[in-house]
Amino acid sequence: GENVEQHPSTLSVQEGDSAVIKCTYSDSASNYFPWYKQELGKRPQLIIDIRSNVGEKKDQRIAVTLNKTAKHFSLHITETQPEDSAVYFCAASKDSSASKIIFGSGTRLSIRP
Amino acid sequence: KAGVTQTPRYLIKTRGQQVTLSCSPISGHRSVSWYQQTPGQGLQFLFEYFSETQRNKGNFPGRFSGRQFSNSRSEMNVSTLELGDSALYLCASSTQLASGEQFFGPGTRLTVL
């Protein structure tokens, strides 16, 4: 079945610096890759997603890149701010009635003031 | 639109008991997925329901079961509770299976003593 690996498990960056979180997936048929942010004590919320027909997508300070050949995708956060501190989850799924969305194990991002 | 709601928010049970958790999706959403979240295991997929049918199932024992009603509301049941079942149980709704954005509820915090 599909497996999603996420690295690193924890990440600490200086405020204003960039943060990069990487995920790899095993099922080459996967075609939808969302990223969720979960702040302490709150529910996960979608921050950005990408489909396999696109190599990169950007939304203000957040960008996601996808390499279908290597089966990996990454989240990039630029000019990090204290409110970026949270746990980030990547996920992968495919358009199929028998498919299910698989989440990575999460990355705890801390922004140092 | 009202968001995904879950009841109860907190629950304390003892080993051997059974528990039923409830999830009301966003109006118009027909897919409801359940996840178990623990500090060490991240988001583990339990099952997904769509149009009252279980479409996907994760790797959990048969003690974990669920159902979905005609109004898309879903319930999850755990029988013969074990200490290891202590976790945050999240449900998420979406308009379509797997490859759509998941909108998470606030979760039910289950503690098994």
Side-chain angles (χ1 to χ4, degrees):
Chain A
E2 173 71 285
N3 183 48
V4 176
E5 292 191 0
Q6 183 171 347
H7 300 281
S9 56
T10 59
L11 180 60
S12 178
V13 301
Q14 193 74 36
E15 183 178 351
D17 288 350
S18 296
V20 180
I21 302 170
K22 299 181 179 181
C23 288
T24 59
Y25 59 99
S26 59
D27 189 344
S28 56
S30 294
N31 57 5
Y32 176 63
F33 307 93
W35 286 88
Y36 287 82
K37 174 184 180 183
Q38 186 176 26
E39 296 177 59
L40 189 63
K42 296 189 177 180
R43 70 191 78 185
Q45 290 194 303
L46 181 75
I47 54 171
I48 195 167
D49 56 10
I50 192 169
R51 293 196 175 270
S52 58
N53 57 347
V54 175
E56 183 174 358
K57 184 176 178 181
K58 193 173 181 181
D59 182 3
Q60 298 182 338
R61 296 186 297 107
I62 293 172
V64 57
T65 58
L66 171 65
N67 184 325
K68 285 190 294 183
T69 303
K71 290 190 284 188
H72 68 70
F73 55 113
S74 302
L75 177 71
H76 304 252
I77 306 174
T78 58
E79 300 172 14
T80 53
Q81 300 170 4
E83 55 264 37
D84 295 329
S85 293
V87 177
Y88 292 81
F89 293 96
C90 64
S93 71
K94 58 188 176 185
D95 290 326
S96 166
S97 62
S99 178
K100 54 193 179 187
I101 191 165
I102 302 297
F103 284 84
S105 53
T107 295
R108 183 173 298 280
L109 174 63
S110 301
I111 307 301
R112 302 191 304 271
Chain B
K1 264 185 185 177
V4 179
T5 58
Q6 290 186 246
T7 57
R9 294 292 312 278
Y10 302 91
L11 206 49
I12 299 176
K13 292 283 188 178
T14 57
R15 279 181 300 174
Q17 286 187 308
Q18 69 94 27
V19 66
T20 298
L21 312 180
S22 181
C23 172
S24 293
I26 291 172
S27 178
H29 286 194
R30 295 167 63 191
S31 168
V32 174
S33 297
W34 287 90
Y35 300 86
Q36 182 193 66
Q37 186 173 33
T38 55
Q41 297 295 321
L43 280 165
Q44 301 288 309
F45 173 80
L46 281 154
F47 26 66
E48 177 180 19
Y49 286 87
F50 187 88
S51 295
E52 302 178 65
T53 303
Q54 187 181 88
R55 298 303 180 102
N56 292 294
K57 193 175 189 307
N59 299 322
F60 278 81
R63 299 185 297 106
F64 292 80
S65 63
R67 58 177 175 167
Q68 187 179 34
F69 302 94
S70 58
N71 62 358
S72 293
R73 189 178 70 86
S74 177
E75 286 182 348
M76 189 191 95
N77 185 276
V78 188
S79 62
T80 320
L81 285 167
E82 300 177 359
L83 295 178
D85 296 333
S86 294
L88 180 67
Y89 289 89
L90 291 160
C91 82
S93 75
S94 63
T95 57
Q96 53 195 296
L97 285 165
S99 58
E101 177 180 356
Q102 303 265 302
F103 293 85
F104 284 86
T108 294
R109 173 79 58 190
L110 171 65
T111 302
V112 182
L113 302 176

